[in-house]
Each structure stands twice: as structure tokens, then as C-alpha cells.
Amino acid sequence: MVLPSFKSLGARRREKQLDNADGVIDARPAPAGAPATGETSSGRTLTPNYNPGVNVKRATKTRKTWILISCFFFFVSVIFLILTIIGNINKKAVIRDTWFFHLNLTNIIPVSAGGSITLVNSLARSLGLHDFYQVGLWNFCEGYNDEGITHCSPNKALYWFNPVEILLNELLAGATITLPAEVNNILDLIKIASHIMFGFFLTGVCMNFVNIFLAFLPLYSRWWSLPIAIWMFISALLTTAAAIIATVMFIIFRNVITSQEGLNIGASVGTQMFAFMWIGAAFSIFGWLIHLCLSCCCASRRDVKTGRRKGSKKAYGNVESDEKKRPVAGSKFQFRRRKTASDTV
């Protein structure tokens, strides 16, 4: 015959504290009127919630990759725009071959030569002129075919090329040449267009340089994408507008000054300069297009943290493998039925 056993109230309390510390879930029904809790509502073993971790940097890797590509585009744009700006400022290699407009007066036919003029290597040199004149953003350079560039004018902000004034200052006394009448009609247009082009090129290259660093802000939040895209649109617009103005202006200038074939005046536009400025404008547009797309595509780090977008699926842990790697709950917690009064008696 099994004798009944009795436990003191303190022993039962200690046992209850040990059971709770070991993760025991009380399966006894809750007293009437008592609120249901997670420990008394069920006698079954419960598995705690487990959410696999997410690598935020990996989730936004696609967005970061496109941002780095845009930075490269803006860097290329800045390099070619700088080459455009410093073109023709001196006689150094590459720089001396980078010009907007080239005026060739080697075989110009004068209206009158004067009695004191001696024929030398070219008609232009005989009249006191140079064989060619080439125009950059800051100045113009002049020289002879057999000697190259002999002189460049001082660099000047908002510079514009006035061929009439330059040629009149260099002509020898008594010598007279004729330029097409349309040249005088477009001088005011050249002056205004040159000033606008100068301001647009300098502003555009500065903004594109700033874009290299601003490009990383949309990585953290898509709220930055729209204002940054607007800023980059302005930089691309200024750069493209400057390239368009330069192209139209100097092509018109070339066509006007060579309109009368009997004067033997040659003119050409600079292929190298045009290539530099249009490459710079194109890469600025490419960079802006990338950030325009980022305003609605690819998850930012804020999107991933708030759960609005998930980004790359590779950044999220595998639930099955994570559950296997997770420490077994039984090694730390013991789940069993609580002993009732009938069990202990």
C-alpha cells in the first residue's frame, strides 16, 4: 500500500519556480474569470517564433551597382568636359589640337594690297595676317602653316570670337580684304551664344562633379531619388544645351564665312572638340537616366529595413537550413506537464 505524501507550501512554490525556469507549460485549466495567458491556454508544447536574418547590404546590391555605374558615367563626363574647357588655351599637345572653329586665310584674295606689300610664303602673311586662326572657349590662337601656333590671346571669361576686329587690327597699312556681308549680321548672335555656352559648360562640369558624390544618397532611401534626379537632369540639360549651342553656332559661322568662294577663305569645325563635348554630354544623360529609373526601381536600404521591398532574395536566410542550424530548444528548455495534486498524492 502506497502511503500518501504531502509537500509544504514553500516546497511547492520552489518546485513551481524551478518548473517555470525550465520552460514548463502549465496544462491545468485556468481558474474561472482569470485571463487566458500563453502559459495556461494550452497544454501543448509551443515553438517560439523565429525570423531568419537579412543582409541589408546584399539586399540592395543591385541598387548600389547601378549607382556605381552612374558615378563612372559622371566621372567620364567630367573628364571630357574638362578637355573641352581647356581646349586651345595654349600650344601644348592635345590642347592645341582641340578647338571649336578654324579659320584659314592662307590664300585669301585681297581687294587692294598697297604699294609697300611684299609677297612672302602666303597671301595672308603678305597682308600682315596669319595663315590660320582657331577658337577655343577662353581665347583664340593664331599661327602659320609652316611654324604652327605662334601666339594665343590671354584667357578671358565670356570670350567670343570677333574675326572682323582681329583681322582689321593685323592688316598692313593700305591692304584691304573683303569678308562676306553676312558675317557682320551674325556677330551679335555669336556674342550672345558664346556667353551662354561659356556659362553652361562651366556650370555643367561643376554639377557633374558634384553628382559623383550625390549619387550615393539614393542608396539609403528612395526619398532622395527624385530630388537627386531633378538635380542631375539640370546638369545634363546644361551640358547638352552648351553642346548644341556650340555645334549650331560654329556650323552657321563656317557656312557664312565660306559662302563666297571667290574670296578663298577656308573654315572648318573642330572634330576633336565636338567629340569631347558630345561624349561629356552623353555620359551626363546616361547618369541621369540611371537615377531616374532608381526613383521607382530597386530597393533601397530603408525599403528593406521597413519591409516595403525585399530587394535581392539571396540576402534572406533559408528558413529550413536556419532551423537546422538553430540551437535545439530542448537542450535549454524542458517542456512537460505540470504535476497535479492527484499525481503527488
Side-chain angles (χ1 to χ4, degrees), residues 1-18:
M1 178 178 180
V2 179
L3 297 176
S5 60
F6 300 92
K7 291 185 179 181
S8 65
L9 182 60
R12 291 183 180 182
R13 288 178 179 175
R14 286 195 298 271
E15 183 179 11
K16 183 178 181 180
Q17 291 176 357
L18 292 174

Side-chain angles (χ1 to χ4, degrees), residues 20 29 44 60 69 73 82 90 119 133-134 141 151-152 179 184 218 238 256 268 270 278 280 293-294 314 327 329 341:
N20 290 338
R44 294 173 296 177
T60 57
I69 293 174
F73 285 168
I82 290 176
N90 54 45
L119 183 64
Y133 300 83
Q134 58 189 40
C141 294
H151 171 73
C152 289
L179 296 176
N184 292 322
L238 293 178
V256 169
S268 60
W278 276 110
C293 295
L294 289 178
K314 298 180 180 179

Side-chain angles (χ1 to χ4, degrees), residues 47 49 75 80 98 111 113 122-123 147 158 169 200 207 211 221 223 236 242 258 273 299 310 344:
T47 304
N49 294 331
F75 177 76
F80 281 97
T98 307
V111 175
S122 64
L123 291 175
E147 298 180 13
L158 301 176
N169 291 335
F200 280 9
M207 293 183 70
N211 290 344
S221 174
W223 284 104
T258 59
M273 177 73 89
K310 292 187 176 181
T344 58

Side-chain angles (χ1 to χ4, degrees), residues 160 162-165 168 177-191 253 256-257 259:
W160 70 285
N162 187 348
V164 176
E165 179 182 357
L168 288 177
I177 61 173
T178 301
L179 296 176
E182 292 82 1
V183 172
N184 292 322
N185 299 333
I186 66 171
L187 287 180
D188 291 337
L189 177 62
I190 292 175
K191 181 179 180 179
F253 196 14
V256 169
I257 207 165
S259 58

Side-chain angles (χ1 to χ4, degrees), residues 41-302:
S41 60
S42 174
R44 294 173 296 177
T45 301
L46 301 178
T47 304
N49 294 331
Y50 176 69
N51 295 323
V54 56
N55 189 331
V56 177
K57 293 184 178 180
R58 189 171 184 181
T60 57
K61 185 177 180 180
T62 302
R63 190 177 186 88
K64 184 177 181 180
T65 300
W66 281 109
I67 288 176
L68 290 175
I69 293 174
S70 70
C71 291
F72 172 75
F73 285 168
F74 287 123
F75 177 76
V76 173
S77 176
V78 169
I79 294 299
F80 281 97
L81 289 177
I82 290 176
L83 291 175
T84 302
I85 291 173
I86 66 174
N88 199 65
I89 61 174
N90 54 45
K91 298 186 292 183
K92 295 182 179 180
V94 180
I95 295 179
R96 64 170 177 258
D97 297 326
T98 307
W99 36 263
F100 286 113
F101 182 77
H102 184 93
L103 180 64
N104 189 352
L105 302 179
T106 303
N107 298 317
I108 188 173
I109 298 177
V111 175
S112 62
S116 60
I117 294 179
T118 303
L119 183 64
V120 288
N121 294 347
S122 64
L123 291 175
R125 187 178 296 193
S126 302
L127 298 173
L129 303 176
H130 289 78
D131 290 340
F132 64 86
Y133 300 83
Q134 58 189 40
V135 184
L137 190 65
W138 297 84
N139 63 345
F140 80 94
C141 294
E142 58 189 4
Y144 302 107
N145 295 332
D146 56 345
E147 298 180 13
I149 295 176
T150 58
H151 171 73
C152 289
S153 65
N155 298 331
K156 180 181 178 181
L158 301 176
Y159 173 77
W160 70 285
F161 181 62
N162 187 348
V164 176
E165 179 182 357
I166 294 172
L167 298 181
L168 288 177
N169 291 335
E170 294 186 357
L171 274 174
L172 295 178
T176 306
I177 61 173
T178 301
L179 296 176
E182 292 82 1
V183 172
N184 292 322
N185 299 333
I186 66 171
L187 287 180
D188 291 337
L189 177 62
I190 292 175
K191 181 179 180 179
I192 296 173
S194 296
H195 290 174
I196 296 174
M197 177 185 68
F198 184 93
F200 280 9
F201 268 128
L202 262 65
T203 306
V205 70
C206 292
M207 293 183 70
N208 281 329
F209 178 76
V210 175
N211 290 344
I212 298 175
F213 306 97
L214 291 181
F216 288 95
L217 290 179
L219 173 64
Y220 300 96
S221 174
R222 282 191 300 122
W223 284 104
W224 283 105
S225 295
L226 183 59
I228 294 298
I230 294 174
W231 168 273
M232 293 177 177
F233 170 74
I234 296 174
S235 65
L237 178 64
L238 293 178
T239 306
T240 306
I244 292 174
I245 291 173
T247 302
V248 174
M249 177 178 65
F250 287 112
I251 288 179
I252 293 176
F253 196 14
R254 179 197 63 185
N255 295 338
V256 169
I257 207 165
T258 59
S259 58
Q260 298 182 16
E261 298 181 358
L263 299 177
N264 283 348
I265 297 177
S268 60
V269 294
T271 304
Q272 183 167 294
M273 177 73 89
F274 278 38
F276 286 166
M277 69 180 182
W278 276 110
I279 290 175
F283 276 93
S284 181
I285 294 174
F286 294 156
W288 163 66
L289 288 176
I290 289 177
H291 281 268
L292 182 64
C293 295
L294 289 178
S295 62
C296 59
C297 302
C298 300
S300 66
R301 293 186 178 179
R302 182 173 180 272

